[in-house]
């Protein structure tokens, strides 16, 4: 099988990672990649890590009527742009959206968290939520997939087995930290290297846009009526998300008990690895793995998760979902080995 692929929005970090992964995917042929401000430039001029690996050039968005021969498109665009383009695509093309445009089912919640009205909510019902490990069967038959947010991926993978087995009581506190690449390729005052390299701070307390999608998905997969306290922090590193998820279980649980529950839940999930004690973002950088560890005391259970925010938290999971949508082994093109150190 050879899949003809289009990428809308290839100049940012998400687009760069999609290109890195799809260029070496044995069943993918990239037909075009768009980037308005870089149109006409060679991809390898913008993404120097791809020098010698592709002759592609960035283009302006093509005429939608001429896209009928495509098999799949990826949206690696800022929030608000995919909803403008998706309704114009030919109905035969499968879609994976890396933005937040089609994750939320409630238009009022979307407007509250993304600061704009949704322009294509009628199309939302066609989008399946793309957390592969909890929604694999629906993704296999989906035409459109809304790829999860990076924080949502790290949090949901740490909570899904507990929620599905109805093990939680009391509130859940998520203390999540991310590297600077999560803020995008364009620098801003709080992401500029001299500002961020030696600093540490919290941001968007109680208001992060990934909170409603986390709660929406937890309600779908299990018994979720808990209060969620979700706080994000800026790490002085480039890549990686580390989440400490503080829970209380209905009965006493040991780390070994938790590991057994998670091992059963993720027995068919190659990209979830269970580790002793704490994971480390260095072990998952540039890979599609989520590493999960545990600490327990009585009924108190802390789940630690680590992912690469650009791979498992974005482009890698998008390719994993594409594989499923076309009946391929979900690992194809994604058995990426991290580095040490």
């Amino acid at each position: 099988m050879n899949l003809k692929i289009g990428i809308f929005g290839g100049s940012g970090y998400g687009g760069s990672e999609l290109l890195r992964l799809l260029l070496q995917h044995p069943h993918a042929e990239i037909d075009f990649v768009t980037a308005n401000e870089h149109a006409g430039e060679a991809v390898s001029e913008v993404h120097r890590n791809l020098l010698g690996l592709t002759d592609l050039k960035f283009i302006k968005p093509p005429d939608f009527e001429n896209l009928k021969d495509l098999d799949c498109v990826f949206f690696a665009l800022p929030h608000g742009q995919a909803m403008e383009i998706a309704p114009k695509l030919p109905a035969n093309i499968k879609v994976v959206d890396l933005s937040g445009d089609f994750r939320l089912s409630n238009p009022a919640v979307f407007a509250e968290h993304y600061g704009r009205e949704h322009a294509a909510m009628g199309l939302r019902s066609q989008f399946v939520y793309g957390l592969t490990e909890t929604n694999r069967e629906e993704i296999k038959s989906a035409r459109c997939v809304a790829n999860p947010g990076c924080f949502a991926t790290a949090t949901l993978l740490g909570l899904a087995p507990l929620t599905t087995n109805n093990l939680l009581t009391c509130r859940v506190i998520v203390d999540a930290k991310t590297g600077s690449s999560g803020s995008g390729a364009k620098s801003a005052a709080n992401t500029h290297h001299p500002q961020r390299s030696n600093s540490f701070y919290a941001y968007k307390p109680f208001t992060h846009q990934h909170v409603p999608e986390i709660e929406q998905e937890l309600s779908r997969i299990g018994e979720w009526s808990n209060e969620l306290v979700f706080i994000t922090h800026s790490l002085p590193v480039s890549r990686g998300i580390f989440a400490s998820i503080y829970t209380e279980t209905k009965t006493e649980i040991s780390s070994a008990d938790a590991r057994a529950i998670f091992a059963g839940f993720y027995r068919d999930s190659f990209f979830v690895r269970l580790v002793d004690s704490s994971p480390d973002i260095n072990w998952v950088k540039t890979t599609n793995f989520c590493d999960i560890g545990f600490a327990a005391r009585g009924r108190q259970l802390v789940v630690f998760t680590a992912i690469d925010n650009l791979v498992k938290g974005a482009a890698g999971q998008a390719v994993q979902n594409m594989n499923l949508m076309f009946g391929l082994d979900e690992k194809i093109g994604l058995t990426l080995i991290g580095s040490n150190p």
Side-chain angles (χ1 to χ4, degrees):
M1 178 186 293
N2 206 31
L3 304 176
K4 199 171 183 181
I5 307 295
I7 300 173
F8 286 86
S11 62
Y13 290 140
S16 174
E17 287 295 271
L18 274 175
L19 286 160
R20 179 174 75 92
L21 297 175
L22 291 171
L23 283 171
Q24 54 86 48
H25 192 292
H27 299 290
E29 175 190 337
I30 303 175
D31 186 68
F32 68 83
V33 53
T34 75
N36 284 327
E37 62 185 274
H38 294 288
E41 295 180 47
V43 164
S44 59
E45 282 295 309
V46 177
H47 303 307
R48 298 302 180 94
N49 59 313
L50 302 179
L51 184 64
L53 300 175
T54 179
D55 295 323
L56 281 168
K57 290 186 176 183
F58 289 113
I59 66 169
K60 296 277 189 182
D63 186 341
F64 296 107
E65 293 183 358
N66 296 329
L67 301 182
K68 293 179 181 178
D69 291 337
L70 289 181
D71 295 294
C72 184
V73 299
F74 291 88
F75 294 135
L77 296 162
H79 303 308
Q81 294 188 19
M83 71 174 88
E84 301 290 342
I85 298 174
K88 302 174 184 178
L89 292 174
N92 64 295
I93 299 176
K94 295 189 178 184
V95 178
V96 183
D97 178 22
L98 279 70
S99 80
D101 283 14
F102 293 100
R103 295 173 191 159
L104 300 178
S105 59
N106 187 318
V109 174
F110 176 89
E112 177 186 353
H113 284 84
Y114 287 92
R116 71 194 75 202
E117 297 297 320
H118 204 288
M121 190 52 72
L123 193 61
R124 166 61 182 80
S125 62
Q126 296 183 29
F127 278 79
V128 168
Y129 190 69
L131 187 67
T132 319
E133 284 73 18
T134 64
N135 215 15
R136 187 174 280 110
E137 294 307 312
E138 284 195 50
I139 293 166
K140 286 179 180 179
S141 60
R143 177 189 162 238
C144 302
V145 167
N147 221 53
C150 51
F151 279 122
T153 296
T155 302
L156 288 166
L157 290 175
L159 284 173
L162 303 174
T163 304
T164 301
N165 287 286
N166 195 21
L167 296 177
L168 297 178
T169 183
C170 199
R171 67 169 58 92
V172 171
I173 299 172
V174 179
D175 178 339
K177 304 168 180 68
T178 187
S180 58
S181 58
S183 298
K186 289 188 176 180
S187 62
N190 64 332
T191 61
H192 190 45
H193 180 74
Q195 173 67 27
R196 187 156 179 165
S197 62
N198 292 300
S199 70
F200 184 82
Y201 53 89
Y203 68 99
K204 294 185 180 179
F206 298 110
T207 62
H208 198 282
Q209 67 271 19
H210 292 176
V211 172
E213 73 173 274
I214 292 169
E215 295 186 314
Q216 177 180 280
E217 181 65 2
L218 288 173
S219 297
R220 188 192 70 81
I221 65 177
E223 295 292 329
W224 177 256
S225 58
N226 305 69
E227 178 187 359
L228 177 65
V229 178
F230 185 83
I231 306 294
T232 53
H233 304 79
S234 164
L235 275 178
V237 299
S238 294
R239 302 172 80 116
I241 285 177
F242 189 98
S244 299
I245 304 169
Y246 301 92
T247 72
E248 187 173 287
T249 55
K250 292 179 178 178
T251 59
E252 289 195 5
I253 189 170
S254 67
S255 294
D257 294 332
R259 186 184 180 105
I261 292 166
F262 276 66
F265 189 87
Y266 291 124
R267 62 186 176 275
D268 298 319
S269 296
F270 175 78
F271 293 113
V272 174
R273 304 188 299 193
L274 306 184
V275 304
D276 294 327
S277 189
S278 173
D280 188 315
I281 56 174
N282 278 328
W283 304 341
V284 296
K285 278 195 307 187
T286 72
T287 82
N288 198 51
F289 289 110
C290 173
D291 285 1
I292 302 179
F294 312 93
R297 183 181 65 183
R299 290 168 54 201
Q300 296 176 340
L301 174 67
V302 185
V303 181
F304 306 108
T305 66
I307 64 170
D308 185 309
N309 54 297
L310 297 177
V311 188
K312 184 57 176 169
Q317 187 157 226
V319 173
Q320 188 179 355
N321 287 327
M322 178 200 77
N323 286 340
L324 286 174
M325 295 164 77
F326 287 94
L328 301 172
D329 185 324
E330 66 187 72
K331 301 189 297 294
I332 290 179
L334 293 171
T335 309
L336 310 168
I337 301 173
S339 60
N340 183 26

